[in-house]
């Protein structure tokens, strides 16, 4: 109240507004799908017991552990074994995994269950590299002396008019050793390409939080990294031009698996803001309910994981006539190919009732089945003493992958990406609601939204239809300004949204 006149009440802009409907900006999610014990045994076979013990030791959902296992194994296989259902179709084993859940849901402990053994392997690789580098540097010093002596002898021979001596083999120490890597966390695309070009294998990008990394692709360089990562999923050849070097980095097979977590709210932001280029749709997504808090009843067998990753990493490439390396193709047998074809028909039916990112995800599920079947076949082998790696992808590998992708991951993706097929105007309203909340705009016109070029708002009519939804939800109201002719229409934002 006014101290000079207690009868005067201060103006309150929010008093004339009803409470806004905040559900317009938040997705309503279905219950989390749950994998039964029988399905876990059927899909993961010999690895089901390890997944259970890891989930128990880390007090985390089996969903998180299983996806981390698959993605990490796909990176270990890398460019050594690609799957081919039939002529003209081949897929790298590369798998991208997104673990969705609240901060206390157990995402990081689940990642650690697989990544800690990987770190143990990398420590051993670093020690091997240091020893090899030391040996090479000692050899290189002697080679430098031999090279200098040869140059001196050759110069003397030329002065004396006699045949110069041939360059001795000890004058060349050869190429320095390559530092092997399995996982990376946050390095530039140039560095990723450099690592892949030197090793020829695959890599695993592992991050606790994926949403910041995904958002940064657009924030800092206009999406310049997105084409790189789209190619990294497909394992295609890629060249990067360098500023300080005239020679580009050429990667024959750009293959990078990804695993990491994100929170539901941050995923929702990504779904609204992301470019519609299929990047997010390539992720396997799990969004389980948290497990009850408990103390572990058993320890975790890290050695089993270490042995398996080392076996997968030991799979050789095919060496070409000119010395280059290429993946060995593992073909589907006829029964496996038939199961995959039936699954493709089922995906076509699921696509009819899907929309947006979820529809894009369904379209990529047949390829995902091919990749997972390949990884499951090699994980089965890695847990045995059989010296012969899989020569075929068989029906039971594909059947397990179809069950996992179609009956399980599809439902998780539906939970993560939305509950139903929303109308275009409601989708547009969600995008404008995000602009209001993140940019803090209070008064705007249709053209202010249209010019942003956001998904679903490509025309002024699309913007107006979305604004009608926000008017009904008490987010905005029209403000008409008379100017002698046609009134100018602006939209005022509910002041209660500032709180």
């Amino acid at each position: 109240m006014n101290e000079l006149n207690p009868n005067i009440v201060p103006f309150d802009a929010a008093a004339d507004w009803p409470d806004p409907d905040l559900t317009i900006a938040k997705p309503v999610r279905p219950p989390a799908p749950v994998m039964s014990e029988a399905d876990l045994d059927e899909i993961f076979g010999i690895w089901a017991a390890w997944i259970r013990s890891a989930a128990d030791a880390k007090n985390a959902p089996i969903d998180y552990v299983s996806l981390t296992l698959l993605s990490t194994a796909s990176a270990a296989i890398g460019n050594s074994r690609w799957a081919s259902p039939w002529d003209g179709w081949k897929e790298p084993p590369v798998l991208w995994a997104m673990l969705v859940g609240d901060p206390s849901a157990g995402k990081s402990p689940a990642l650690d269950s697989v990544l800690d053994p990987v770190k143990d392997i990398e420590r051993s690789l670093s020690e091997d590299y240091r020893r090899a580098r030391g040996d090479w540097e000692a050899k290189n010093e002697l080679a430098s002396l031999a090279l200098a002596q040869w140059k001196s002898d050759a110069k003397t021979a030329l002065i004396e008019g006699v045949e110069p001596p041939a360059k001795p083999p000890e004058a060349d120490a050869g190429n320095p050793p390559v530092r092997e890597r399995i996982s990376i966390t946050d390095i530039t695309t140039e560095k990723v390409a450099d690592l892949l070009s030197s090793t020829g294998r695959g890599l695993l990008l592992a991050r606790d939080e994926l949403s910041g990394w995904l958002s940064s692709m657009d924030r800092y360089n206009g999406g310049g990294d997105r084409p790189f990562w789209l190619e990294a999923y497909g394992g295609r050849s890629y060249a990067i031009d360098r500023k300080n070097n005239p020679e580009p980095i050429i990667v024959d097979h750009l293959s990078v698996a990804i695993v990491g977590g994100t929170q539901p709210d941050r995923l929702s932001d990504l779904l609204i803001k992301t470019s519609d280029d299929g990047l997010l749709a390539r992720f396997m997504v799990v969004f389980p309910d948290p497990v009850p808090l408990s103390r572990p009843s058993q320890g975790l067998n890290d050695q089993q994981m270490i042995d398996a990753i080392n076996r997968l990493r030991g799979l050789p490439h095919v060496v070409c006539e000119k010395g280059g390396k290429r993946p060995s193709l593992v073909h589907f047998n006829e029964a496996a190919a038939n199961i995959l074809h039936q699954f493709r028909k089922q995906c076509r039916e699921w696509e009819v009732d899907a929309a947006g990112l979820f529809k894009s995800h369904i379209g990529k599920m047949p390829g995902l089945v091919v990749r997972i079947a390949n990884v499951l076949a090699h994980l089965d082998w890695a847990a045995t003493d059989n010296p012969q790696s899989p020569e075929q992808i068989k029906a039971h590998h594909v059947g397990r992958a179809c069950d996992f992708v179609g009956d399980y991951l599809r439902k998780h993706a539906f939970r993560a990406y939305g509950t139903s097929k929303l109308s275009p105007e409601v989708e547009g309203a969600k995008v404008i609601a995000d602009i209001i909340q993140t940019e803090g705009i209070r008064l705007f016109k249709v053209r202010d939204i249209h010019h942003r070029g956001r998904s679903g708002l490509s025309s002024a009519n699309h913007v107006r239809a979305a604004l009608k939804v926000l008017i009904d939800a008490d987010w905005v109201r029209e403000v008409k300004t008379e100017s002698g002719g046609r009134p100018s229409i602006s939209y005022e934002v509910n002041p209660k949204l500032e709180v």
Side-chain angles (χ1 to χ4, degrees):
M1 297 178 66
N2 191 300
E3 293 182 0
L4 298 178
N5 188 344
N7 295 318
I8 297 177
V9 178
F11 173 72
D12 182 4
D16 186 40
W17 285 79
D19 291 335
D21 179 5
L22 297 179
T23 62
I24 194 69
K26 297 180 179 179
V28 179
R29 305 191 189 278
V34 178
M35 182 180 290
S36 69
E37 294 291 325
D39 284 345
L40 181 65
D41 289 332
E42 175 63 26
I43 293 168
F44 287 96
I46 198 169
W47 284 96
W50 189 91
I51 291 171
R52 286 192 187 92
S53 65
D56 175 74
K58 300 297 183 180
N59 196 199
I62 61 168
D63 319 72
Y64 292 160
V65 176
S66 61
L67 248 63
T68 306
L69 170 63
L70 288 173
S71 185
T72 304
S74 78
I77 299 167
N79 291 317
S80 62
R81 297 290 186 278
W82 286 25
S84 176
W86 47 74
D87 288 345
W89 186 0
K90 57 184 179 181
E91 294 275 354
V94 172
L95 295 173
W96 290 2
M98 182 181 293
L99 320 182
V100 183
D102 291 328
S104 60
K107 301 186 297 295
S108 295
L111 289 168
D112 291 342
S113 68
V114 181
L115 298 181
D116 281 351
V118 168
K119 291 174 184 176
D120 286 342
I121 296 172
E122 291 197 311
R123 279 190 286 269
S124 178
L125 291 173
S126 293
E127 292 173 2
D128 293 343
Y129 171 77
R130 281 193 291 270
R131 286 192 293 269
R133 181 74 190 191
D135 293 342
W136 179 85
E137 287 177 350
K139 184 179 179 181
N140 193 48
E141 287 185 13
L142 295 175
S144 297
L145 295 174
L147 181 63
Q149 182 62 51
W150 170 73
K151 287 181 178 179
S152 176
D153 293 344
K155 183 177 180 181
T156 300
L158 290 173
I159 292 173
E160 295 176 352
V162 298
E163 185 73 19
K167 183 179 178 180
E170 60 269 18
D172 185 358
N175 294 325
V178 174
R179 183 169 195 154
E180 296 284 347
R181 295 283 295 276
I182 302 174
S183 65
I184 53 177
T185 52
D186 188 14
I187 56 180
T188 65
T189 55
E190 182 175 322
K191 185 61 177 177
V192 173
D194 190 44
L195 286 170
L196 288 171
S197 67
S198 62
T199 64
R201 301 200 66 86
L203 286 171
L204 175 71
L205 173 66
R207 295 181 61 94
D208 262 354
E209 178 55 60
L210 284 171
S211 59
W213 171 70
L214 288 166
S215 298
S216 69
M217 291 186 195
D218 295 325
R219 186 182 308 130
Y220 297 120
N221 55 18
D225 284 353
R226 297 182 79 92
F228 175 90
W229 289 106
L230 287 167
E231 295 300 317
Y233 185 82
R236 300 177 182 89
S237 61
Y238 201 87
I240 291 185
D241 294 315
R242 295 179 284 186
K243 292 181 180 179
N244 301 321
N245 193 318
E247 294 297 324
I249 301 173
I250 298 176
V251 184
D252 290 334
H253 296 287
L254 184 64
S255 301
V256 185
I258 300 174
V259 65
T262 194
Q263 297 175 32
D265 289 346
R266 293 183 179 178
L267 176 60
S268 297
D269 289 342
L270 280 174
L271 298 179
I272 292 173
K273 298 174 183 177
T274 188
S275 301
D276 188 18
D277 57 5
L279 187 72
L280 271 180
R282 285 165 165 77
F283 279 88
M284 304 182 294
V285 179
V286 286
F287 187 179
D289 287 332
V291 297
L293 292 176
S294 65
R295 294 179 60 182
S297 60
Q298 56 185 314
L300 184 58
N301 183 0
D302 284 349
Q303 193 59 48
Q304 181 179 347
M305 180 59 60
I306 291 171
D307 292 343
I309 296 298
N310 277 328
R311 285 204 85 188
L312 296 175
R313 288 189 69 256
L315 289 165
H317 294 80
V318 173
V319 179
C320 304
E321 292 181 0
K322 295 182 179 180
K325 298 177 181 178
R326 64 173 176 82
S328 175
L329 292 183
V330 185
H331 295 276
F332 281 36
N333 66 18
E334 187 63 21
N338 288 337
I339 292 173
L340 176 63
H341 186 58
Q342 293 304 315
F343 183 77
R344 294 170 72 212
K345 293 179 179 179
Q346 177 63 72
C347 289
R348 187 66 60 86
E349 295 178 9
W350 284 328
E351 280 183 293
V352 173
D353 296 323
L357 184 60
F358 182 55
K359 185 169 188 171
S360 181
H361 178 78
I362 290 175
K364 292 173 174 55
M365 288 198 317
L368 186 57
V369 163
V370 175
R371 294 168 185 239
I372 291 177
N374 185 17
V375 173
L376 288 175
H378 284 86
L379 272 173
D380 287 352
W381 165 77
T384 70
D385 295 328
N386 184 359
Q388 179 61 55
S389 62
E391 297 179 326
Q392 279 188 329
I393 304 297
K394 298 181 180 179
H396 72 94
H397 300 130
V398 180
R400 290 155 61 191
C402 287
D403 289 345
F404 187 58
V405 173
D407 293 341
Y408 183 68
L409 291 183
R410 178 177 61 90
K411 295 174 183 177
H412 273 283
F414 185 62
R415 171 171 159 84
Y417 299 151
T419 60
S420 61
K421 186 176 181 179
L422 298 178
S423 64
E425 57 269 24
V426 174
E427 290 285 6
K430 289 165 66 69
V431 175
I432 298 175
D434 174 72
I435 293 172
I436 290 171
Q437 290 182 311
T438 57
E439 299 183 18
I441 59 174
R442 299 294 110 194
L443 187 70
F444 59 90
K445 295 180 180 294
V446 167
R447 65 171 178 268
D448 298 325
I449 302 299
H450 178 214
H451 289 168
R452 280 171 166 79
R454 298 288 285 273
S455 176
L457 301 172
S458 57
S459 73
N461 287 335
H462 291 157
V463 176
R464 292 189 186 97
L467 286 170
K468 287 181 180 179
V469 176
L470 289 179
I471 290 171
D472 291 340
D474 295 313
W475 276 63
V476 301
R477 61 173 55 157
E478 286 187 358
V479 178
K480 294 184 179 180
T481 304
E482 301 291 342
S483 56
R486 189 175 180 179
S488 173
I489 298 178
S490 299
Y491 293 85
E492 180 185 4
V493 176
N494 189 335
K496 291 183 178 180
L497 289 166
E498 297 180 23
V499 180

